[in-house]
Amino acid sequence: MTSLSPARGFDWGNLGVRAASAAILLPAALAAVWIEMGPGQPAWPFLLMVVVAVARLCVEWGGMTAPTARTRVSTAVCAAVLTAVFFAQRDNMFIAWGVLAVGGALAAVVARGVSERPGNAALGVLYIGAAAVCFIWLRSMPEGRWWIFMTFAVAWTADIAAYLVGSLVGGPKLWPRFSPNKTWSGFLGGLAGAVLAAVALAALPVFNLNPWAAALAGLCGGLAGMAGDLWESMLKRRFGVKDASDLIPGHGGLLDRVDGLMFVVVMLSAFRLVNHLGWGH
């Protein structure tokens, strides 16, 4: 993600490539979330999207953290995460989280001797797996597709608003050690965009969430998205790579594109759990 950028003028060429990529990927993602087999039951396109995304994220994680043994590490991480996804899709959430814990430990064992830091394999299982399990759980809940749409809206609006405000306003850097292009103005603009997106979506009559709860969800989701963006920047600096891959023109790898989204879905899943228990209606 390229949010929170300083005021150096727009890169219109890159922006056009990014827009073209988004125009292809966005409708496909929204359609996969929308289609249902029955009330609250996502259809196979949603599950296929999750499985394909997990597989690709694991490949990028292995290539970034263990370039000399990417196949072995990617396979170990992917096997653990997809096993957790299997149980999450069947609403066995306790088993799914247990699989992530055990699978992370096993992935670290598999990575011993072929990775500089075997713990990175375990980190990949938890990082990718937590987002995948939360994504499936959130979609399976009542009004699940609307909560997923809110997750998308918060993550994407925060990213776009941060990019625009950071580019136009500039100002002091947010965390120059790990991400020198991010500014405080972009950070605040992104948070404002996330709140507005959440409130606007919650105003739809099909969404049973009051505006104040939506605003708080948007604020916390925006903070989570910014944290995910900074986290990914820190990881890439640690591993000495510019992008996780060159899969998506104008965006880099899938991991570069969904770093904030992965944090947002975990945060909004926590909000959905609290809402399910009776708060925010």
Side-chain angles (χ1 to χ4, degrees):
M1 295 169 73
T2 55
S3 56
L4 317 182
S5 302
R8 294 182 299 176
F10 289 111
D11 182 353
W12 291 106
N14 182 61
L15 191 61
V17 175
R18 287 167 60 89
S21 299
I24 296 172
L25 297 174
L26 178 59
L30 294 178
V33 173
W34 181 264
I35 300 170
E36 291 185 339
M37 292 189 300
Q41 298 180 350
W44 66 264
F46 174 79
L47 300 175
L48 178 63
M49 179 180 69
V50 173
V51 169
V52 170
V54 164
R56 181 62 204 184
L57 290 171
C58 291
V59 168
E60 292 182 354
W61 183 263
M64 185 170 65
T65 63
T68 61
R70 63 181 65 197
T71 300
R72 182 169 173 176
V73 172
S74 297
T75 301
V77 174
C78 192
V81 176
L82 288 182
T83 302
V85 165
F86 173 83
F87 286 106
Q89 190 271 331
R90 282 158 177 74
D91 202 27
N92 295 317
M93 299 307 298
F94 287 108
I95 297 178
W97 288 110
V99 166
L100 289 182
V102 175
L106 292 176
V109 172
V110 170
R112 288 187 64 185
V114 298
S115 177
E116 181 181 348
R117 296 176 179 174
N120 290 331
L123 179 60
V125 171
L126 299 178
Y127 179 33
I128 299 170
V133 168
C134 285
F135 201 64
I136 290 175
W137 177 82
L138 192 60
R139 178 60 183 84
S140 68
M141 294 295 287
E143 300 178 352
R145 57 186 173 192
W146 294 104
W147 279 90
I148 293 292
F149 289 158
M150 176 177 280
T151 300
F152 286 161
V154 166
W156 294 338
T157 304
D159 186 33
I160 294 169
Y163 179 77
L164 293 176
V165 173
S167 296
L168 292 171
V169 178
K173 303 294 179 61
L174 179 64
W175 199 358
R177 178 183 176 187
F178 293 112
S179 192
N181 291 334
K182 295 175 175 59
T183 64
W184 279 103
S185 64
F187 174 77
L188 296 175
L191 290 184
V195 170
L196 290 175
V199 172
L201 197 58
L204 297 175
V206 294
F207 209 161
N208 187 26
L209 189 67
N210 73 57
W212 293 108
L216 183 58
L219 177 62
C220 293
L223 286 170
M226 302 294 178
D229 192 14
L230 290 170
W231 166 257
E232 179 69 10
S233 296
M234 183 177 65
L235 285 175
K236 288 189 290 188
R237 183 172 289 267
R238 173 186 172 189
F239 296 118
V241 297
K242 181 179 182 294
D243 292 316
S245 75
D246 57 357
L247 175 69
I248 307 173
H251 292 278
L254 184 60
L255 197 57
D256 302 302
R257 180 65 272 170
V258 301
D259 49 5
L261 180 66
M262 292 167 70
F263 275 55
V264 174
V265 73
V266 174
M267 176 62 73
L268 290 191
S269 292
F271 262 84
R272 182 65 185 93
L273 179 61
V274 174
N275 176 257
H276 182 65
L277 298 176
W279 178 81
H281 296 300

